[in-house]
Amino acid sequence: MKKHNFSAGPSILESNVIRKASQGVLEINNTALSILEISHRSSEFTQIIEEAKTLTKELLNIGDDYEILFLQGGASLQFYMAALNFSRPNGTAAYIDTGTWSTKAIKESEKIGKTITVASSKDKNYTYIPNNININNNIDYLHFTSNNTIYGTQFHTFHKLSQLAKQNSAKLICDMSSDIFSKQIDVNQFDLIYAGAQKNLGPAGATLVIVKKESLIKNGNLPTYLNYNTHIDKKSMFNTPPVFSIYVSMLTLRWLKSLGGIKSIEQENNKKASLLYNEIDNNPLFVGIVNKEDRSKMNVTFDIRNADHKLKFEKLCLENGINGIYGHRSVGGYRASIYNALKISSVCFLIELMRKLKQII
Ligand SMILES: *Cc1c(COP(=O)(O)O)cnc(C)c1O
């Protein structure tokens, strides 16, 4: 039997997606060839990447004014690439600092131009989402991280940020690596969204980019690979794309569609999160780490009140096939990542173990 996989990333994939992917490794679409050995320009792969784009648009209700790209380099390359493509000469970029990934994005932007942090939750080790955001400068864009994978906080609405960007005639850019496809969103609020595949979409290797075409500044002097226009013009085929990651991502998107789309998975995700947070709040042995209103529905961070009980809990998890439950080294405690593919039964199983701890301490 498979483990209950609460890993933060790379993370759980739906079991039929894995089965189908493994069949594709042996043979793709009766070609007598593996997905790993066909040309990325073959009709088989062209259909796969086109289906992945179409499904992305369908599931997130994205219009033709946006382009869907599958790039490489992870969200980490997007930190730099987004700044490079959306900064104007002598302009200013604004960032909201909600933890490690935002901080890394800020660092890349600083290499390109003037960068300001307009809000931060660093003062309390990123345990909340700042809501006091003031922009006094003229800015090119506002960048934020929708879900803070490491700390377990999440922006539950984008309305305020989108208004703020609009008022400042600024573009809105979001790193959605760890909550894309987990809930319904209005893509029209954004000029750029990016997400590494390995949290909620597929295996590592591909990075999904959703970019509003008219928001891009035409700048032919950018390094070729780092220019979004290159990839728009070449339909994500400027160079060899991460074929396998895109294939498995497409299979995941098919699965999401078969469930009834994002609305259905959002309901499931809400159920899973509320079950687990209820247990954290009602079990006297455990305690949540972040501000209640800002709790992430993807990465649930918590701790054990009494340090003497930790080893017992960890042993219980180990013996019962719980994987990836340790908190990030910068936070400590525990983190249960409950991405789309993690079943509600796995959440219930973890809750059972949390209750069992009472009996064995
Ligand atoms: C994992 C993660 C990243 C880093 O992604 P890579 O694809 O490894 O570069 C960036 N941002 C967020 C929110 C993440 O969860």
Side-chain angles (χ1 to χ4, degrees):
M1 215 185 73
K2 267 195 83 170
K3 289 183 176 172
H4 300 273
N5 191 2
F6 292 90
S7 177
S11 37
I12 185 165
L13 291 166
E14 203 271 334
S15 56
N16 286 314
V17 166
I18 299 226
R19 195 167 303 127
K20 188 97 204 301
S22 66
Q23 285 163 1
V25 168
L26 296 174
E27 183 183 9
I28 189 81
N29 299 352
N30 303 315
T31 54
L33 291 167
S34 163
I35 177 72
L36 303 179
E37 54 185 4
I38 58 170
S39 164
H40 59 293
R41 311 223 178 254
S42 63
S43 68
E44 280 74 30
F45 184 70
T46 313
Q47 278 170 34
I48 288 167
I49 193 168
E50 286 309 317
E51 186 173 346
K53 289 181 196 171
T54 306
L55 285 167
T56 300
K57 283 187 155 184
E58 223 180 292
L59 288 165
L60 295 177
N61 213 355
I62 303 174
D64 288 335
D65 41 344
Y66 287 82
E67 197 72 40
I68 312 298
L69 306 174
F70 288 96
L71 306 183
Q72 301 184 64
S76 298
L77 182 60
Q78 291 307 306
F79 298 158
Y80 187 80
M81 196 165 160
L84 188 67
N85 282 261
F86 281 88
S87 298
R88 292 178 182 277
N90 305 316
T92 301
Y95 282 73
I96 299 176
D97 176 22
T98 51
T100 307
W101 299 119
S102 316
T103 311
K104 290 192 174 184
I106 291 168
K107 205 172 143 203
E108 295 308 299
S109 171
E110 283 169 346
K111 294 183 180 175
I112 288 161
K114 187 174 173 198
T115 304
I116 56 172
T117 300
V118 290
S120 171
S121 49
K122 193 178 178 183
D123 58 339
K124 292 187 178 159
N125 197 31
Y126 301 114
T127 49
Y128 69 102
I129 293 289
N131 55 22
N132 211 351
I133 304 161
N134 290 310
I135 300 178
N136 306 315
N137 303 52
N138 197 356
I139 58 165
D140 295 336
Y141 64 84
L142 175 64
H143 177 287
F144 72 104
T145 314
S146 55
N147 182 68
N148 299 285
T149 325
I150 291 174
Y151 300 89
T153 61
Q154 185 175 26
F155 283 88
H156 293 301
T157 163
F158 305 139
H159 181 71
K160 216 170 126 180
L161 299 177
S162 140
Q163 289 297 106
L164 206 58
K166 241 189 217 143
Q167 285 158 12
N168 287 276
S169 311
K171 307 281 189 275
L172 188 62
I173 299 181
C174 185
D175 174 1
M176 251 182 231
S177 291
S178 52
D179 66 352
I180 193 156
F181 297 116
S182 72
K183 59 176 184 180
Q184 290 178 294
I185 55 168
D186 179 6
V187 170
N188 291 316
Q189 293 173 313
F190 298 92
D191 297 280
L192 177 74
I193 294 171
Y194 60 86
Q198 72 275 16
K199 308 284 164 58
N200 216 9
L201 181 59
T207 313
L208 174 66
V209 170
I210 302 168
V211 59
K212 191 172 188 176
K213 282 177 275 190
E214 66 169 43
S215 305
L216 284 170
I217 308 161
K218 290 274 174 211
N219 184 347
N221 287 329
L222 301 181
T224 313
Y225 190 90
L226 301 184
N227 190 337
Y228 288 119
N229 285 310
T230 301
H231 302 287
I232 293 174
D233 292 346
K234 300 286 183 188
K235 298 188 152 84
S236 294
M237 295 279 211
F238 165 67
N239 67 333
T240 315
V243 169
F244 185 66
S245 179
I246 293 170
Y247 174 55
V248 183
S249 298
M250 185 279 282
L251 295 175
T252 300
L253 296 171
R254 268 190 195 166
W255 164 68
L256 282 178
K257 186 179 172 181
S258 77
L259 290 181
I262 303 297
K263 201 173 173 179
S264 308
I265 200 75
E266 180 172 7
Q267 283 167 359
E268 278 299 294
N269 288 335
N270 285 341
K271 270 190 232 161
K272 288 186 301 192
S274 76
L275 280 170
L276 191 48
Y277 282 118
N278 270 336
E279 184 62 23
I280 291 166
D281 291 339
N282 294 314
N283 186 326
L285 302 180
F286 292 88
V287 60
I289 290 179
V290 305
N291 222 22
K292 279 192 183 173
E293 309 88 85
D294 303 323
R295 284 173 162 179
S296 166
K297 293 178 180 178
M298 292 281 100
N299 310 96
V300 177
T301 51
F302 59 98
D303 210 347
I304 290 183
R305 289 181 190 271
N306 183 339
D308 297 343
H309 300 152
K310 288 193 175 191
L311 279 178
K312 286 192 176 116
F313 179 64
E314 288 160 22
K315 187 161 172 268
L316 206 55
C317 287
L318 195 69
E319 287 169 354
N320 286 282
I322 300 277
N323 180 62
I325 197 87
Y326 289 101
H328 190 269
R329 57 191 181 277
S330 58
V331 178
Y334 304 94
R335 169 177 51 173
S337 297
I338 53 174
Y339 297 122
N340 286 350
L342 184 97
K343 288 209 171 79
I344 205 160
S345 55
S346 287
V347 172
C348 293
F349 188 73
L350 176 62
I351 290 171
E352 259 177 59
L353 294 185
M354 292 165 80
R355 291 182 184 165
K356 223 179 234 170
L357 184 63
K358 262 183 260 182
Q359 296 157 16
I360 61 165
I361 55 173

Short mmCIF file of all heavy atoms in Angstrom, two decimals, residues 128-175:
data_model
loop_
_atom_site.label_atom_id
_atom_site.label_comp_id
_atom_site.label_asym_id
_atom_site.label_seq_id
_atom_site.Cartn_x
_atom_site.Cartn_y
_atom_site.Cartn_z
N TYR A 128 1.68 35.57 9.47
CA TYR A 128 0.42 36.23 9.07
C TYR A 128 0.57 36.85 7.68
O TYR A 128 1.67 36.97 7.15
CB TYR A 128 0.01 37.27 10.11
CG TYR A 128 0.89 38.49 10.16
CD1 TYR A 128 0.50 39.69 9.57
CD2 TYR A 128 2.14 38.45 10.80
CE1 TYR A 128 1.31 40.82 9.63
CE2 TYR A 128 2.95 39.57 10.86
CZ TYR A 128 2.54 40.75 10.27
OH TYR A 128 3.35 41.85 10.30
N ILE A 129 -0.57 37.23 7.13
CA ILE A 129 -0.58 37.93 5.84
C ILE A 129 -0.79 39.42 6.14
O ILE A 129 -1.79 39.78 6.75
CB ILE A 129 -1.75 37.40 4.96
CG1 ILE A 129 -1.52 35.93 4.56
CG2 ILE A 129 -1.98 38.27 3.74
CD1 ILE A 129 -0.42 35.67 3.57
N PRO A 130 0.16 40.25 5.74
CA PRO A 130 -0.01 41.67 6.05
C PRO A 130 -1.19 42.27 5.29
O PRO A 130 -1.39 41.95 4.12
CB PRO A 130 1.31 42.30 5.59
CG PRO A 130 1.96 41.31 4.70
CD PRO A 130 1.36 39.97 4.97
N ASN A 131 -1.99 43.07 5.98
CA ASN A 131 -3.08 43.70 5.20
C ASN A 131 -2.99 45.22 5.15
O ASN A 131 -3.85 45.88 4.59
CB ASN A 131 -4.46 43.21 5.65
CG ASN A 131 -4.69 43.43 7.12
OD1 ASN A 131 -4.03 44.27 7.73
ND2 ASN A 131 -5.60 42.67 7.70
N ASN A 132 -1.92 45.71 5.75
CA ASN A 132 -1.70 47.14 5.66
C ASN A 132 -0.65 47.41 4.58
O ASN A 132 0.54 47.32 4.83
CB ASN A 132 -1.20 47.63 7.02
CG ASN A 132 -1.64 49.06 7.28
OD1 ASN A 132 -2.17 49.71 6.38
ND2 ASN A 132 -1.40 49.53 8.48
N ILE A 133 -1.13 47.69 3.41
CA ILE A 133 -0.19 47.84 2.29
C ILE A 133 -0.29 49.25 1.73
O ILE A 133 -1.36 49.66 1.28
CB ILE A 133 -0.50 46.80 1.19
CG1 ILE A 133 -0.48 45.38 1.80
CG2 ILE A 133 0.50 46.91 0.05
CD1 ILE A 133 -1.19 44.36 0.97
N ASN A 134 0.80 49.94 1.81
CA ASN A 134 0.80 51.31 1.30
C ASN A 134 1.78 51.47 0.16
O ASN A 134 2.94 51.08 0.27
CB ASN A 134 1.18 52.29 2.41
CG ASN A 134 0.08 52.37 3.44
OD1 ASN A 134 -1.09 52.56 3.10
ND2 ASN A 134 0.44 52.17 4.70
N ILE A 135 1.29 52.04 -0.91
CA ILE A 135 2.18 52.29 -2.05
C ILE A 135 2.20 53.80 -2.31
O ILE A 135 1.17 54.39 -2.65
CB ILE A 135 1.70 51.53 -3.30
CG1 ILE A 135 1.68 50.03 -3.01
CG2 ILE A 135 2.60 51.84 -4.49
CD1 ILE A 135 1.18 49.18 -4.14
N ASN A 136 3.35 54.40 -2.09
CA ASN A 136 3.46 55.84 -2.31
C ASN A 136 4.23 56.17 -3.58
O ASN A 136 4.16 57.27 -4.10
CB ASN A 136 4.16 56.51 -1.11
CG ASN A 136 3.44 56.16 0.19
OD1 ASN A 136 2.21 56.20 0.24
ND2 ASN A 136 4.19 55.78 1.21
N ASN A 137 4.98 55.19 -4.04
CA ASN A 137 5.79 55.44 -5.25
C ASN A 137 4.98 55.13 -6.50
O ASN A 137 3.93 54.51 -6.45
CB ASN A 137 7.01 54.51 -5.28
CG ASN A 137 7.86 54.66 -4.06
OD1 ASN A 137 7.38 54.59 -2.94
ND2 ASN A 137 9.14 54.86 -4.27
N ASN A 138 5.53 55.57 -7.59
CA ASN A 138 5.03 55.17 -8.89
C ASN A 138 5.66 53.81 -9.20
O ASN A 138 6.88 53.72 -9.27
CB ASN A 138 5.49 56.24 -9.90
CG ASN A 138 4.70 56.15 -11.16
OD1 ASN A 138 3.87 55.26 -11.32
ND2 ASN A 138 4.96 57.07 -12.06
N ILE A 139 4.86 52.76 -9.32
CA ILE A 139 5.47 51.44 -9.48
C ILE A 139 5.10 50.79 -10.81
O ILE A 139 4.05 51.07 -11.38
CB ILE A 139 5.09 50.48 -8.33
CG1 ILE A 139 3.56 50.32 -8.23
CG2 ILE A 139 5.68 50.96 -7.01
CD1 ILE A 139 3.13 49.14 -7.38
N ASP A 140 5.99 49.92 -11.27
CA ASP A 140 5.72 49.17 -12.51
C ASP A 140 4.78 48.01 -12.24
O ASP A 140 3.87 47.73 -13.01
CB ASP A 140 7.02 48.60 -13.10
CG ASP A 140 7.97 49.70 -13.54
OD1 ASP A 140 7.48 50.81 -13.84
OD2 ASP A 140 9.19 49.45 -13.59
N TYR A 141 5.05 47.31 -11.15
CA TYR A 141 4.20 46.16 -10.83
C TYR A 141 4.23 45.85 -9.34
O TYR A 141 5.15 46.28 -8.63
CB TYR A 141 4.64 44.91 -11.64
CG TYR A 141 6.01 44.40 -11.32
CD1 TYR A 141 6.23 43.53 -10.26
CD2 TYR A 141 7.12 44.76 -12.10
CE1 TYR A 141 7.51 43.05 -9.96
CE2 TYR A 141 8.39 44.30 -11.82
CZ TYR A 141 8.57 43.44 -10.74
OH TYR A 141 9.83 42.96 -10.45
N LEU A 142 3.22 45.11 -8.93
CA LEU A 142 3.15 44.62 -7.55
C LEU A 142 3.26 43.10 -7.61
O LEU A 142 2.52 42.45 -8.35
CB LEU A 142 1.82 45.04 -6.93
CG LEU A 142 1.52 44.52 -5.52
CD1 LEU A 142 2.53 45.06 -4.51
CD2 LEU A 142 0.10 44.92 -5.09
N HIS A 143 4.18 42.55 -6.83
CA HIS A 143 4.40 41.11 -6.84
C HIS A 143 4.08 40.53 -5.47
O HIS A 143 4.46 41.09 -4.44
CB HIS A 143 5.88 40.82 -7.17
CG HIS A 143 6.24 39.36 -7.14
ND1 HIS A 143 6.37 38.65 -5.96
CD2 HIS A 143 6.49 38.47 -8.14
CE1 HIS A 143 6.69 37.40 -6.24
NE2 HIS A 143 6.77 37.25 -7.55
N PHE A 144 3.37 39.39 -5.47
CA PHE A 144 3.14 38.70 -4.19
C PHE A 144 3.11 37.20 -4.39
O PHE A 144 3.03 36.69 -5.52
CB PHE A 144 1.86 39.21 -3.52
CG PHE A 144 0.58 38.76 -4.17
CD1 PHE A 144 -0.19 37.75 -3.60
CD2 PHE A 144 0.15 39.32 -5.36
CE1 PHE A 144 -1.37 37.32 -4.20
CE2 PHE A 144 -1.03 38.90 -5.97
CZ PHE A 144 -1.79 37.90 -5.39
N THR A 145 3.18 36.48 -3.28
CA THR A 145 3.15 35.01 -3.27
C THR A 145 1.79 34.61 -2.68
O THR A 145 1.52 34.93 -1.52
CB THR A 145 4.28 34.46 -2.37
OG1 THR A 145 5.50 35.15 -2.68
CG2 THR A 145 4.47 32.98 -2.57
N SER A 146 0.97 33.95 -3.48
CA SER A 146 -0.42 33.71 -3.01
C SER A 146 -0.48 32.73 -1.85
O SER A 146 -1.31 32.87 -0.95
CB SER A 146 -1.28 33.21 -4.16
OG SER A 146 -0.70 32.07 -4.76
N ASN A 147 0.39 31.73 -1.86
CA ASN A 147 0.38 30.74 -0.78
C ASN A 147 1.82 30.49 -0.33
O ASN A 147 2.68 30.18 -1.15
CB ASN A 147 -0.25 29.43 -1.27
CG ASN A 147 -0.32 28.40 -0.17
OD1 ASN A 147 -1.06 28.54 0.80
ND2 ASN A 147 0.47 27.33 -0.29
N ASN A 148 2.03 30.66 0.96
CA ASN A 148 3.39 30.54 1.48
C ASN A 148 3.63 29.14 1.99
O ASN A 148 3.36 28.81 3.14
CB ASN A 148 3.61 31.63 2.52
CG ASN A 148 3.44 33.00 1.88
OD1 ASN A 148 4.30 33.45 1.14
ND2 ASN A 148 2.28 33.61 2.07
N THR A 149 4.13 28.35 1.09
CA THR A 149 4.34 26.91 1.24
C THR A 149 5.07 26.54 2.53
O THR A 149 4.76 25.54 3.16
CB THR A 149 5.20 26.43 0.03
OG1 THR A 149 4.83 27.19 -1.11
CG2 THR A 149 5.00 24.97 -0.23
N ILE A 150 6.04 27.36 2.90
CA ILE A 150 6.89 27.04 4.04
C ILE A 150 6.21 27.40 5.36
O ILE A 150 6.25 26.64 6.32
CB ILE A 150 8.25 27.76 3.88
CG1 ILE A 150 9.01 27.13 2.71
CG2 ILE A 150 9.05 27.73 5.18
CD1 ILE A 150 10.30 27.81 2.35
N TYR A 151 5.54 28.55 5.38
CA TYR A 151 4.98 29.04 6.65
C TYR A 151 3.53 28.61 6.86
O TYR A 151 3.05 28.57 7.99
CB TYR A 151 5.09 30.57 6.70
CG TYR A 151 6.52 30.98 6.60
CD1 TYR A 151 7.13 31.19 5.36
CD2 TYR A 151 7.32 31.06 7.74
CE1 TYR A 151 8.47 31.50 5.26
CE2 TYR A 151 8.66 31.37 7.65
CZ TYR A 151 9.23 31.59 6.41
OH TYR A 151 10.57 31.87 6.32
N GLY A 152 2.84 28.30 5.75
CA GLY A 152 1.44 27.89 5.88
C GLY A 152 0.47 29.04 5.99
O GLY A 152 -0.53 28.96 6.70
N THR A 153 0.77 30.14 5.29
CA THR A 153 -0.20 31.24 5.20
C THR A 153 -0.63 31.41 3.74
O THR A 153 0.09 31.00 2.83
CB THR A 153 0.40 32.57 5.69
OG1 THR A 153 1.51 32.89 4.86
CG2 THR A 153 0.83 32.49 7.15
N GLN A 154 -1.78 32.05 3.56
CA GLN A 154 -2.33 32.16 2.21
C GLN A 154 -3.19 33.42 2.08
O GLN A 154 -3.93 33.76 3.02
CB GLN A 154 -3.19 30.91 1.95
CG GLN A 154 -3.75 30.78 0.55
CD GLN A 154 -4.49 29.45 0.35
OE1 GLN A 154 -5.00 28.87 1.32
NE2 GLN A 154 -4.55 28.99 -0.88
N PHE A 155 -3.08 34.07 0.96
CA PHE A 155 -4.02 35.16 0.64
C PHE A 155 -5.34 34.51 0.24
O PHE A 155 -5.38 33.77 -0.75
CB PHE A 155 -3.50 35.99 -0.55
CG PHE A 155 -2.40 36.95 -0.20
CD1 PHE A 155 -1.07 36.56 -0.24
CD2 PHE A 155 -2.70 38.26 0.15
CE1 PHE A 155 -0.05 37.46 0.07
CE2 PHE A 155 -1.68 39.17 0.46
CZ PHE A 155 -0.36 38.76 0.42
N HIS A 156 -6.41 34.79 0.98
CA HIS A 156 -7.68 34.16 0.63
C HIS A 156 -8.49 34.97 -0.36
O HIS A 156 -9.46 34.50 -0.92
CB HIS A 156 -8.49 33.87 1.90
CG HIS A 156 -7.83 32.81 2.74
ND1 HIS A 156 -7.59 31.54 2.24
CD2 HIS A 156 -7.33 32.83 3.99
CE1 HIS A 156 -6.97 30.83 3.18
NE2 HIS A 156 -6.80 31.59 4.24
N THR A 157 -8.10 36.21 -0.55
CA THR A 157 -8.73 37.00 -1.61
C THR A 157 -7.67 37.89 -2.27
O THR A 157 -6.71 38.31 -1.62
CB THR A 157 -9.89 37.88 -1.07
OG1 THR A 157 -10.18 38.88 -2.04
CG2 THR A 157 -9.54 38.53 0.25
N PHE A 158 -7.85 38.14 -3.54
CA PHE A 158 -6.90 38.97 -4.28
C PHE A 158 -7.48 40.34 -4.57
O PHE A 158 -6.85 41.18 -5.21
CB PHE A 158 -6.52 38.30 -5.61
CG PHE A 158 -6.00 36.90 -5.46
CD1 PHE A 158 -6.37 35.90 -6.36
CD2 PHE A 158 -5.12 36.59 -4.43
CE1 PHE A 158 -5.89 34.61 -6.22
CE2 PHE A 158 -4.63 35.29 -4.29
CZ PHE A 158 -5.01 34.31 -5.18
N HIS A 159 -8.71 40.55 -4.10
CA HIS A 159 -9.44 41.76 -4.48
C HIS A 159 -8.66 43.03 -4.13
O HIS A 159 -8.47 43.90 -4.99
CB HIS A 159 -10.81 41.76 -3.80
CG HIS A 159 -11.62 42.95 -4.16
ND1 HIS A 159 -12.18 43.12 -5.41
CD2 HIS A 159 -11.94 44.05 -3.44
CE1 HIS A 159 -12.81 44.28 -5.43
NE2 HIS A 159 -12.68 44.87 -4.25
N LYS A 160 -8.20 43.08 -2.88
CA LYS A 160 -7.52 44.28 -2.41
C LYS A 160 -6.24 44.56 -3.21
O LYS A 160 -5.96 45.70 -3.59
CB LYS A 160 -7.17 44.10 -0.93
CG LYS A 160 -7.29 45.36 -0.13
CD LYS A 160 -7.17 45.03 1.33
CE LYS A 160 -6.09 45.89 1.95
NZ LYS A 160 -5.92 45.63 3.38
N LEU A 161 -5.51 43.51 -3.48
CA LEU A 161 -4.25 43.67 -4.21
C LEU A 161 -4.50 44.11 -5.64
O LEU A 161 -3.78 44.94 -6.20
CB LEU A 161 -3.46 42.36 -4.19
CG LEU A 161 -3.06 41.87 -2.81
CD1 LEU A 161 -2.34 40.53 -2.90
CD2 LEU A 161 -2.18 42.90 -2.12
N SER A 162 -5.54 43.54 -6.20
CA SER A 162 -5.86 43.87 -7.58
C SER A 162 -6.32 45.34 -7.67
O SER A 162 -5.94 46.07 -8.60
CB SER A 162 -6.90 42.88 -8.09
OG SER A 162 -7.85 43.48 -8.86
N GLN A 163 -7.09 45.79 -6.67
CA GLN A 163 -7.51 47.20 -6.62
C GLN A 163 -6.29 48.12 -6.48
O GLN A 163 -6.19 49.13 -7.16
CB GLN A 163 -8.44 47.43 -5.41
CG GLN A 163 -9.81 46.82 -5.56
CD GLN A 163 -10.57 47.43 -6.71
OE1 GLN A 163 -10.74 46.79 -7.75
NE2 GLN A 163 -11.02 48.67 -6.56
N LEU A 164 -5.41 47.71 -5.58
CA LEU A 164 -4.22 48.49 -5.30
C LEU A 164 -3.35 48.65 -6.56
O LEU A 164 -2.86 49.74 -6.86
CB LEU A 164 -3.42 47.76 -4.21
CG LEU A 164 -2.51 48.58 -3.32
CD1 LEU A 164 -3.28 49.67 -2.59
CD2 LEU A 164 -1.83 47.66 -2.30
N ALA A 165 -3.19 47.56 -7.28
CA ALA A 165 -2.41 47.60 -8.51
C ALA A 165 -3.08 48.55 -9.51
O ALA A 165 -2.43 49.40 -10.12
CB ALA A 165 -2.26 46.21 -9.09
N LYS A 166 -4.38 48.39 -9.63
CA LYS A 166 -5.14 49.22 -10.57
C LYS A 166 -4.99 50.71 -10.25
O LYS A 166 -4.73 51.52 -11.13
CB LYS A 166 -6.62 48.83 -10.51
CG LYS A 166 -7.13 48.31 -11.84
CD LYS A 166 -8.63 48.14 -11.82
CE LYS A 166 -8.97 46.89 -12.61
NZ LYS A 166 -10.08 46.16 -12.05
N GLN A 167 -5.19 51.04 -8.96
CA GLN A 167 -5.10 52.45 -8.54
C GLN A 167 -3.74 53.05 -8.88
O GLN A 167 -3.62 54.24 -9.10
CB GLN A 167 -5.30 52.57 -7.02
CG GLN A 167 -6.74 52.41 -6.58
CD GLN A 167 -6.86 51.99 -5.12
OE1 GLN A 167 -5.88 52.04 -4.38
NE2 GLN A 167 -8.05 51.57 -4.71
N ASN A 168 -2.73 52.21 -8.88
CA ASN A 168 -1.38 52.69 -9.15
C ASN A 168 -0.95 52.46 -10.60
O ASN A 168 0.23 52.58 -10.92
CB ASN A 168 -0.38 52.02 -8.20
CG ASN A 168 -0.50 52.56 -6.79
OD1 ASN A 168 0.08 53.59 -6.47
ND2 ASN A 168 -1.30 51.91 -5.96
N SER A 169 -1.91 52.11 -11.44
CA SER A 169 -1.62 51.74 -12.83
C SER A 169 -0.45 50.78 -12.92
O SER A 169 0.42 50.89 -13.79
CB SER A 169 -1.29 52.98 -13.67
OG SER A 169 -2.24 53.96 -13.47
N ALA A 170 -0.42 49.84 -11.97
CA ALA A 170 0.68 48.88 -11.94
C ALA A 170 0.18 47.51 -12.37
O ALA A 170 -1.00 47.19 -12.26
CB ALA A 170 1.24 48.80 -10.52
N LYS A 171 1.09 46.71 -12.86
CA LYS A 171 0.76 45.34 -13.21
C LYS A 171 0.71 44.50 -11.94
O LYS A 171 1.34 44.86 -10.93
CB LYS A 171 1.83 44.77 -14.15
CG LYS A 171 2.09 45.63 -15.39
CD LYS A 171 1.03 45.42 -16.43
CE LYS A 171 1.36 46.09 -17.76
NZ LYS A 171 0.94 47.50 -17.79
N LEU A 172 -0.02 43.40 -12.00
CA LEU A 172 -0.09 42.52 -10.84
C LEU A 172 0.51 41.16 -11.20
O LEU A 172 0.12 40.53 -12.18
CB LEU A 172 -1.54 42.35 -10.38
CG LEU A 172 -1.73 41.60 -9.05
CD1 LEU A 172 -1.06 42.34 -7.90
CD2 LEU A 172 -3.21 41.38 -8.75
N ILE A 173 1.49 40.74 -10.40
CA ILE A 173 2.23 39.50 -10.67
C ILE A 173 2.15 38.59 -9.45
O ILE A 173 2.31 39.05 -8.32
CB ILE A 173 3.71 39.81 -10.98
CG1 ILE A 173 3.81 40.70 -12.22
CG2 ILE A 173 4.53 38.53 -11.15
CD1 ILE A 173 5.23 41.07 -12.63
N CYS A 174 1.89 37.32 -9.69
CA CYS A 174 1.75 36.41 -8.55
C CYS A 174 2.51 35.10 -8.75
O CYS A 174 2.42 34.46 -9.79
CB CYS A 174 0.27 36.11 -8.34
SG CYS A 174 -0.02 35.11 -6.88
N ASP A 175 3.24 34.73 -7.71
CA ASP A 175 3.83 33.38 -7.63
C ASP A 175 2.76 32.49 -7.01
O ASP A 175 2.48 32.59 -5.82
CB ASP A 175 5.08 33.43 -6.75
CG ASP A 175 5.68 32.04 -6.49
OD1 ASP A 175 5.13 31.04 -6.99
OD2 ASP A 175 6.70 31.97 -5.76
#
